[in-house]
Amino acid sequence: DKALSFGAAVFAVMKEHQKDVILRVCYDTEGKGMEREPASFSLVLTHIRQMAQLASEYEDVILTAQGLFVGSWGEMHTSHFLEEKQICCMVERWQEQTLIPLSFRKPCQMRLMGEKERIGLYDDALFSTESHMGTFGEKRKDAAEWKEPWCPEDEFSYLHSRREPVFCGGEAVSGGEYSTKETIALLKNMQVTYLNCVYDDRRLKEWKEKKLSSGESLYSYIGRHLGYRIAVKKVSRKRDVLSLTLENTGFAPMYEAADLFVEYGDSRILFPADLRRLGSGETMTVSATLHGKETKGTSPEPIHGKSEVRAGMARKKDGAAIRFANQGAGTTLLIRKGEKLAREGD
């Protein structure tokens, strides 16, 4: 009861301040998972059900739940309860109560669930060793069982092959030696959306000291490219059809549904686009008729004179503004000021 009350207080504060939550519930915080977790598996299932019921009341502010309570630090290792049937049972109990996505500690654990949706990855040993302290294995896929850990290269391919993009994050740990190029490539290969900003200080300090050819620190570059990073690359107009070419230079795709729109005067025109399909390094051109569907104003107005036209993105579930990566962009991006819209190549 005390833990549930504490959880409710944390969620309420996060919701009040419009913060998104990455949730981890754990029995152990000292690396003594098998000593600290309950002796009874049925009690673990009861706790999962109770916390999932509470979390379901705050689904709109919880991005993902890391792990299934068990193991050292709640990291799904060093536990009595990680047999395949037990993992499946814990996932089922969670998903009976809430739609909040779960994140697993290893890709091989994800494979136990087949193509079940809303399953992500949290790697709390990024860069520590070649295997990320057991996140990956050594065998090639062809020489291993389906449910065994595979070498990093094959696990990356598996993560990219899943029907639903894998929401991935974790902690960067000191230990392994990685060049600037290798660091960026790994984060992109794993489609990393978030990292712990306080752990491991040794690795983070190293990133702050490393400089790119532009003079920017590796730490700053990583911070600006975590998750999606969508920029408007081209704007064109043919009669009443406005087209935007977008590029995602971030490490990962967008995981939550969002609206893409242009605003001018009292009109807002929506683009028929699913931005979640824009993967890392990819471009997408989307078009909308300027006299099409609007979400505010009595009717779409023609663009004339010196009308300002702004493009914007907003999360569907709460209308939160998503900023473009273009230099100088605010909550919206000015794409026309003056007599004409920007043309292709401008």
Side-chain angles (χ1 to χ4, degrees):
D1 290 342
K2 183 178 179 181
L4 290 171
S5 296
F6 178 71
V10 170
F11 296 150
V13 169
M14 293 297 185
K15 185 165 186 174
E16 177 186 356
H17 292 277
Q18 299 181 316
K19 299 294 184 181
D20 290 332
V21 176
I22 298 168
L23 172 66
R24 187 185 304 186
V25 183
C26 54
Y27 295 114
D28 167 72
T29 58
E30 298 179 349
K32 301 177 180 179
M34 299 183 80
E35 296 178 28
R36 300 293 170 80
E37 59 191 19
S40 167
F41 183 57
S42 63
L43 183 56
V44 174
L45 294 179
T46 297
H47 291 160
I48 290 175
R49 175 181 57 79
Q50 291 174 316
M51 183 56 72
Q53 285 177 335
L54 171 63
S56 69
E57 300 175 22
Y58 296 90
E59 283 183 352
D60 56 335
V61 298
I62 301 177
L63 290 176
T64 188
Q66 293 183 338
L68 293 165
F69 297 30
V70 300
S72 295
W73 299 287
E75 288 187 6
M76 296 180 70
H77 61 75
T78 321
S79 169
H80 296 288
F81 307 120
L82 290 175
E83 297 294 330
E84 180 177 347
K85 289 183 178 179
Q86 293 171 319
I87 291 177
C88 292
C89 190
M90 289 187 285
V91 171
E92 182 178 344
R93 187 59 54 90
W94 178 268
Q95 294 189 336
E96 286 173 351
Q97 305 295 329
T98 181
L99 296 175
I100 295 168
L102 284 167
S103 292
F104 284 10
R105 182 61 183 80
K106 303 177 183 180
C108 63
Q109 293 168 332
M110 296 172 60
R111 286 195 285 277
L112 299 179
M113 309 310 301
E115 281 291 337
K116 185 181 282 289
E117 296 180 350
R118 306 194 309 278
I119 300 292
L121 177 72
Y122 69 107
D123 184 347
D124 276 6
L126 283 161
F127 304 103
S128 56
T129 63
E130 188 174 347
S131 72
H132 295 201
M133 293 185 181
T135 304
F136 310 119
E138 297 180 355
K139 296 181 181 179
R140 295 302 305 256
K141 174 183 175 180
D142 294 342
E145 298 293 331
W146 175 251
K147 297 172 184 178
E148 283 187 291
W150 303 339
C151 66
E153 181 181 352
D154 286 339
E155 292 288 28
F156 296 158
S157 296
Y158 164 72
L159 294 174
H160 283 270
S161 72
R162 285 182 63 90
R163 181 174 63 241
E164 183 182 67
V166 176
F167 188 67
C168 179
E171 295 179 340
V173 181
S174 60
E177 294 186 8
Y178 290 80
S179 67
T180 296
K181 183 178 180 180
E182 290 169 335
T183 298
I184 293 172
L186 176 60
L187 293 170
K188 187 173 182 178
N189 276 330
M190 293 189 67
Q191 302 181 105
V192 173
T193 291
Y194 66 90
L195 290 174
N196 188 335
C197 67
V198 297
Y199 188 84
D200 174 344
D201 185 61
R202 290 168 294 180
R203 179 66 74 182
L204 300 181
K205 182 179 178 181
E206 173 195 317
W207 287 354
K208 291 174 182 178
E209 293 173 349
K210 283 189 174 181
K211 302 295 182 182
L212 280 66
S213 58
S214 63
E216 181 180 17
S217 72
L218 177 57
Y219 180 88
S220 173
Y221 180 88
I222 290 171
R224 292 193 303 106
H225 289 79
L226 285 173
Y228 54 87
R229 176 181 167 83
I230 297 176
V232 176
K233 304 299 290 185
K234 295 180 182 177
V235 181
S236 61
R237 179 185 177 187
K238 187 174 182 180
R239 296 188 175 90
D240 285 338
V241 177
L242 178 67
S243 298
L244 303 180
T245 297
L246 310 175
E247 181 180 14
N248 181 6
T249 60
F251 295 143
M254 185 182 293
Y255 293 98
E256 296 183 301
D259 288 325
L260 173 67
F261 58 86
V262 290
E263 291 180 330
Y264 56 95
D266 290 327
S267 297
R268 172 181 282 194
I269 308 300
L270 294 175
F271 287 83
D274 185 353
L275 298 177
R276 293 170 296 183
R277 298 178 57 189
L278 185 57
S280 175
E282 296 178 351
T283 59
M284 170 192 292
T285 299
V286 295
S287 302
T289 302
L290 294 177
H291 296 289
K293 180 181 178 182
E294 76 280 2
T295 58
K296 69 176 185 178
T298 56
S299 63
E301 303 172 356
I303 298 178
H304 58 76
K306 296 184 179 180
S307 300
E308 276 194 358
V309 181
R310 290 184 171 273
M313 298 181 288
R315 195 161 60 174
K316 281 184 180 290
K317 70 180 184 181
D318 58 6
I322 299 172
R323 294 172 180 255
F324 287 106
N326 298 74
Q327 185 175 358
T331 53
T332 58
L333 176 67
L334 182 65
I335 61 173
R336 181 210 199 248
K337 185 176 182 180
E339 295 297 330
K340 296 181 180 180
L341 285 168
R343 297 181 181 276
E344 186 171 335
D346 289 351

